[in-house]
Amino acid sequence: MRPPEPDSPPPPDGGTLDAERFAATLDLVVDADARLAAVVDRFGRPGFWSRPPSFATLVLLVLEQQVSLASGKATFDRLRALAGAVTPEAVAPLDLDALRGCGLTRQKAGYVADLARGVLDGTVDWAAVITGDRDACRRALLGVRGIGPWTADVWLLACRGFPDEWPVGDRALQVGCGEVVGAPGPLTGEALVDVARDWVPHRSTVARVVWHDYLARRRRAETVVEGLDGL
């Protein structure tokens, strides 16, 4: 039987993943998989974290593409200092040179400018992004220039709380999953999809366990970024 594709909708299982549901789901996946139980034995239970489904968060995700989280945060902080707040109204008037002065590449400056203007003029379906169902949200995100599957999948998991997301393009998930299951190296593509087959419909919880293990092995913690609340 072919494993589910990473962008397939999860089975209808009643709601989003919050702290209470995460705790219960964590118990289920740990009881069912000794490899995940070993993570909890080594490093304790992961805490539940999320990011607000805001314009600022989506900008941060764009800035985090293909760079370290620390680098993305530093660029975001400079942008927030310049604009006063990372909102569409504050960012849209900034020209590309101003954005590049905050450390954005030319490409990302264009993406962020387009996103701000698109939210304001309605060409970005912002209602679908922040309140739409899973498929409508992902479709709206992928229709925005500069937002690909990784950004959309992390948004669905961390911001919208959908319970069965598996961001196969995430490097920490690729490396961390390989470490958790004892593979000789990172798992990518179909191998990463296949290994998660038995974790459906709780892959968002398992991804959090894998990230917890990845960070703990490296004595790092989840990046905390201020200024993400609001639109």
Side-chain angles (χ1 to χ4, degrees):
M1 178 173 150
R2 182 178 174 82
E5 294 299 326
D7 59 348
S8 63
D13 59 352
T16 57
L17 197 66
D18 57 15
E20 182 178 1
R21 186 175 182 190
F22 172 69
T25 306
L26 179 62
D27 289 339
L28 288 176
V29 298
V30 165
D31 287 347
D33 194 313
R35 299 166 299 183
L36 303 179
V39 174
V40 174
D41 288 343
R42 280 194 301 269
F43 300 121
R45 294 171 66 88
F48 180 79
W49 55 269
S50 63
R51 288 177 172 177
S54 65
F55 173 81
T57 297
L58 190 52
V59 169
L60 176 63
L61 288 176
V62 170
L63 299 181
E64 289 177 339
Q65 293 169 0
Q66 300 179 326
V67 300
S68 70
L69 298 184
S71 176
K73 177 184 182 299
T75 304
F76 179 88
D77 288 343
R78 288 191 292 268
L79 175 60
R80 182 161 64 97
L82 175 67
V86 182
T87 63
E89 295 81 3
V91 171
L94 301 176
D95 62 26
L96 295 183
D97 287 341
L99 292 171
R100 294 195 68 198
C102 297
L104 282 74
T105 64
R106 182 180 298 278
Q107 191 174 46
K108 287 186 180 180
Y111 294 161
V112 169
D114 284 356
L115 177 62
R117 295 168 192 145
V119 172
L120 292 177
D121 67 21
T123 55
V124 172
D125 188 352
W126 192 244
V129 170
I130 62 172
T131 62
D133 65 30
R134 192 257 183 201
D135 286 346
C137 177
R138 195 171 197 273
R139 188 164 52 249
L141 286 168
L142 293 178
V144 179
R145 190 171 76 96
I147 294 181
W150 175 83
T151 306
D153 292 343
V154 173
W155 175 272
L156 291 166
L157 188 156
C159 304
R160 294 295 310 279
F162 290 104
D164 194 39
E165 302 303 321
W166 191 242
V168 294
D170 186 81
R171 188 58 180 170
L173 187 68
Q174 294 168 355
V175 173
C177 199
E179 292 172 343
V180 166
V181 305
L187 299 178
T188 60
E190 286 299 316
L192 188 57
V193 173
D194 187 64
V195 77
R197 176 179 175 179
D198 292 337
W199 297 325
V200 175
H202 305 303
R203 287 177 293 179
S204 292
T205 294
V206 175
R208 291 169 177 275
V209 175
V210 171
W211 284 328
H212 177 59
D213 182 80
Y214 176 88
L215 291 171
R217 286 174 187 259
R218 292 157 177 80
R219 301 182 183 276
R220 289 159 53 188
E222 179 65 26
T223 303
V224 177
V225 182
E226 302 293 334
L228 297 179
D229 292 326
L231 174 65

